[in-house]
Amino acid sequence: MIRVANVDKHFGELHVLRDINLEVAVGQVLVVLGPSGSGKSTLCRAINRLEPVDSGSIEIDGKPLPLEGKALAQLRADVGMVFQSFNLFAHKTILQNVTLGPLKVRKVAKAEAEEHALELLERVGIGNQRDKYPAQLSGGQQQRAAIARALAMRPKVMLFDEPTSALDPEMVGEVLDVMTGLAKEGMTMLVVTHEMGFARRAANRVVFMADGEIVENSTPDEFFTKPRSDRAKDFLGKILTH
């Protein structure tokens, strides 16, 4: 579903992605781990062209990423993205936030869009918040609304860029529960996160990045019990001992 080949990216002098090669099969959950500044978020944003790359190729479902225009809008409709900040429209209700994409981009009839949106809000556990505005919801509820909004477009793949890092600790679990449910249903997912429990529980593969490179690409079991590189051992040592 996702194929990244020989991708390089610079921000000025900084080489943030170095010869990245990666594949995510249909229905697979790939979790990207690594220290801050390792290029994880840049990679995630490159996959739906929020960040252009300098060289190499990225394909979604066998098609190269379009550069601009309608084809790019279509790609973004097929690739759901959930960010660290929830990016909900403050002046629209939760229901309006979730129906906006299907109405405007997919041209779905209003009744159908609302029915699907309500199903999704129930599924993420906030059906009773449909008529509230984002500011009236907790961070965890807003992030679940953002996931429902991405799912409303019926995407082929979901990208999550540190979706829990802006949340209070007690709200992290409710968002990870929704993501774990999606994984069990077979949604293709690429997840950049610091949540090791989620990586162990829900990932099919774990990619560890450092200094813009993929250092390890293995099963969760292999990565957490037998990391091969010193960078990964050091990273896990710091995280798992606290």
Side-chain angles (χ1 to χ4, degrees), residues 2-11 14-23 38-49 51-60 64-65 209 211-214:
I2 302 172
R3 179 176 281 124
V4 180
N6 312 116
V7 162
D8 274 83
K9 165 82 179 169
H10 293 77
F11 288 126
L14 196 62
H15 199 169
V16 286
L17 295 177
R18 299 168 182 264
D19 193 28
I20 298 291
N21 292 278
L22 190 63
E23 290 191 358
S38 57
K40 309 183 299 291
S41 288
T42 305
L43 171 63
C44 192
R45 293 168 67 84
I47 290 171
N48 77 346
R49 230 187 125 59
E51 290 289 355
V53 298
D54 300 335
S55 59
S57 66
I58 300 175
E59 293 179 1
I60 301 284
L65 289 194
M209 289 183 72
D211 303 320
E213 294 180 292
I214 291 179

Side-chain angles (χ1 to χ4, degrees), residues 12-237:
E13 297 291 298
L14 196 62
H15 199 169
V16 286
L17 295 177
R18 299 168 182 264
D19 193 28
I20 298 291
N21 292 278
L22 190 63
E23 290 191 358
V24 186
V26 175
Q28 199 172 50
V29 178
L30 181 106
V31 170
V32 184
L33 303 174
S36 294
S38 57
K40 309 183 299 291
S41 288
T42 305
L43 171 63
C44 192
R45 293 168 67 84
I47 290 171
N48 77 346
R49 230 187 125 59
L50 286 173
E51 290 289 355
V53 298
D54 300 335
S55 59
S57 66
I58 300 175
E59 293 179 1
I60 301 284
D61 201 13
K63 299 187 191 76
L65 289 194
L67 296 182
E68 56 197 18
K70 274 191 169 169
L72 183 58
Q74 180 63 49
L75 165 94
R76 291 205 176 127
D78 287 340
V79 180
M81 181 126 188
V82 178
F83 301 88
Q84 194 169 339
S85 53
F86 323 124
N87 295 353
L88 296 168
F89 292 108
H91 62 290
K92 290 187 181 295
T93 66
I94 296 306
L95 182 61
Q96 288 169 335
N97 265 281
V98 176
T99 55
L100 188 67
L103 292 171
K104 296 273 191 251
V105 180
R106 298 277 196 218
K107 307 296 185 202
V108 174
K110 189 175 182 192
E112 186 187 333
E114 288 193 348
E115 184 182 3
H116 187 220
L118 290 171
E119 283 171 14
L120 290 170
L121 290 173
E122 286 294 338
R123 181 164 147 199
V124 300
I126 52 169
N128 57 343
Q129 310 291 337
R130 54 183 280 186
D131 296 321
K132 291 189 178 170
Y133 291 88
Q136 296 173 288
L137 270 57
S138 71
Q141 289 171 327
Q142 288 187 60
Q143 192 60 295
R144 286 185 281 158
I147 294 172
R149 179 181 58 180
L151 291 173
M153 297 295 283
R154 303 183 191 274
K156 294 176 178 178
V157 57
M158 289 278 284
L159 307 176
F160 293 87
D161 187 9
E162 301 201 13
T164 58
S165 58
L167 298 176
D168 292 336
E170 71 270 21
M171 293 173 190
V172 169
E174 61 193 52
V175 173
L176 292 178
D177 285 347
V178 171
M179 292 168 61
T180 304
L182 284 177
K184 284 182 179 154
E185 289 165 23
M187 173 62 78
T188 308
M189 293 161 61
L190 183 143
V191 183
V192 174
T193 186
H194 293 288
E195 298 295 336
M196 298 299 135
F198 175 81
R200 277 189 136 140
R201 193 171 63 242
N204 300 106
R205 294 200 72 73
V206 169
V207 162
F208 176 74
M209 289 183 72
D211 303 320
E213 294 180 292
I214 291 179
V215 181
E216 303 209 14
N217 181 344
S218 59
T219 66
D221 194 42
E222 285 171 331
F223 179 73
F224 286 107
T225 58
K226 297 191 286 285
R228 292 186 295 276
S229 64
D230 289 338
R231 285 302 307 265
K233 284 174 190 165
D234 182 52
F235 174 79
L236 286 170

